[in-house]
Structure formats: structure tokens, C-alpha cells
Amino acid sequence: MSFDLVVWAMDNADRPDDVRAANARCARGEHAQRPADPRVVAFYNSLTSTYPDRGPRATMTGSPWATAPLHAAADHITMRLDESCPDAVLETIERLAGELNLDLLDLQDGTVYPPPVKAR
């Protein structure tokens, strides 16, 4: 069984319910027409440089993706991961989301993991 994670480029003032509401709009096919958020682009480029979602490596045995290519929009990336996805992939996703100030939504239970608060 696969599982889904989504990274969202939200404003710092947004709450977990805002992330879930944005995801619900996406599920209905409602996507904002806006330029791609640089954080989302950086996340996608970094993640797929190690774990490609296109070409022959995306469908090889050992790929973390249950569905490829990933769903990439201006403000989010949806990842359907294979059930045997290595922990290193999940750790990379969590690390990149934190570094790039992205919210991470676990679609299995609706938990939102906000980016870490940076010390001043």
C-alpha cells in the first residue's frame, strides 16, 4: 500500500487547517494561477536529483515512488510513496521541507508538520 505526503509553500501565519483546506482545493482540481514558489521549485529539484520521478530510473525497482511523475504545482508537491520506501527518502523529504520553510502534510491522518521555528 502506498502513502502520500504533500509539501506546501504557505505563509508563516497559516495554520494546519489552512494547509488541509489548500489540499482539499487541490483534490477538487482547484489550483491557483500564480508563478511557482521558489521554495517548491528548490524542493522538487533537490529531491528529484537524488530520487528521479521521470525517465527510466523513476520506474525501476527500488524507486521510492508508487506513482511518477510527482504532482507538482506552483505551491505544492504531492508525493505518492511506495510502501517499501526507505527511511532515508522520508528523512530527506522532512529535512528539505524544514530547510525550505515548507509545511509537510501527511495525507494518511491529516497531520501537518510546520517548518521548524528558526532561532533569532
Side-chain angles (χ1 to χ4, degrees):
M1 174 181 225
S2 63
F3 61 101
D4 301 334
L5 297 173
V6 187
V7 291
W8 280 93
M10 304 292 284
D11 294 327
N12 289 336
D14 287 333
R15 304 168 67 107
D17 284 342
D18 298 321
V19 175
R20 288 187 282 273
N23 201 75
R25 287 189 297 277
C26 171
R28 291 191 302 267
E30 300 171 20
H31 291 95
Q33 298 301 314
R34 61 179 254 195
D37 189 294
R39 297 172 293 170
V40 171
V41 174
F43 178 90
Y44 178 84
N45 289 339
S46 184
L47 184 64
T48 59
S49 70
T50 304
Y51 306 107
D53 71 328
R54 298 175 192 276
R57 285 186 55 205
T59 55
M60 288 177 20
T61 302
S63 169
W65 312 123
T67 303
L70 305 179
H71 168 74
D75 56 359
H76 67 281
I77 304 288
T78 302
M79 300 156 282
R80 177 159 287 159
L81 295 128
D82 187 79
E83 67 183 6
S84 61
C85 171
D87 287 344
V89 177
L90 301 175
E91 291 164 1
T92 299
I93 291 168
E94 291 172 1
R95 178 183 55 78
L96 288 171
E99 288 174 0
L100 294 166
N101 197 33
L102 297 169
D103 288 279
L104 180 60
L105 171 61
D106 182 336
L107 292 181
Q108 285 55 240
D109 63 6
T111 301
V112 175
Y113 301 94
V117 176
K118 296 197 183 337
R120 293 182 186 217

